Amino acid sequence: QVHLVESGGGLVQPGGSLRLSCAASGSIFRTGVMGWYRQAPEKERELVATITRNDITVYADSVKGRFTISRDNAKNTVYLQMNSLKPEDTAVYICNADVIDYNSGRPGDYWGQGTQVTVSS
């Protein structure tokens, strides 16, 4: 069993910054691609950013130049530094990770519960 736990969400004014963290725990042999998605009310879930074990990153066009994804492989943790936040960034941010299970050796795709980010004055 693998669990992803996000933290760092909250309320911030436009132009402000937040840093999200997501720690994977449980039966982990190795984490693969990790990433962040977001879902705003009445909208579909969308990709924000992903990162491979060797730090190859992909960003949504809407966040390029403002958000930075990073990871700590030793801690099975992925981060999202969000700067110059806009009201349209308001959403639930959800962590995702590809994980090879330590016991079974099988790969799996895991999701966190999400953390709310609200950008408002």
Side-chain angles (χ1 to χ4, degrees), residues 20-110:
L20 306 183
S21 300
C22 171
S25 64
S27 179
I28 299 172
F29 175 73
R30 174 177 287 191
T31 52
V33 176
M34 302 183 79
W36 291 94
Y37 292 72
R38 67 186 181 186
Q39 188 163 17
E42 300 183 357
K43 292 189 176 180
E44 293 188 355
R45 184 174 296 186
E46 64 175 2
L47 170 73
V48 177
T50 62
I51 184 168
T52 66
R53 284 189 64 85
N54 54 353
D55 294 335
I56 297 172
T57 58
V58 173
Y59 292 95
D61 287 343
S62 59
V63 306
K64 283 181 181 177
R66 300 188 298 122
F67 291 10
T68 302
I69 190 170
S70 61
R71 64 187 288 165
D72 184 332
N73 292 331
K75 295 181 179 179
N76 293 320
T77 299
V78 62
Y79 306 95
L80 186 68
Q81 178 66 44
M82 305 186 293
N83 300 327
S84 302
L85 282 160
K86 305 175 181 180
E88 51 263 43
D89 294 317
T90 296
V92 175
Y93 284 70
I94 307 159
C95 177
N96 173 257
D98 295 330
V99 177
I100 297 177
D101 187 278
Y102 183 86
N103 293 319
S104 69
R106 295 176 180 172
D109 185 46
Y110 296 91

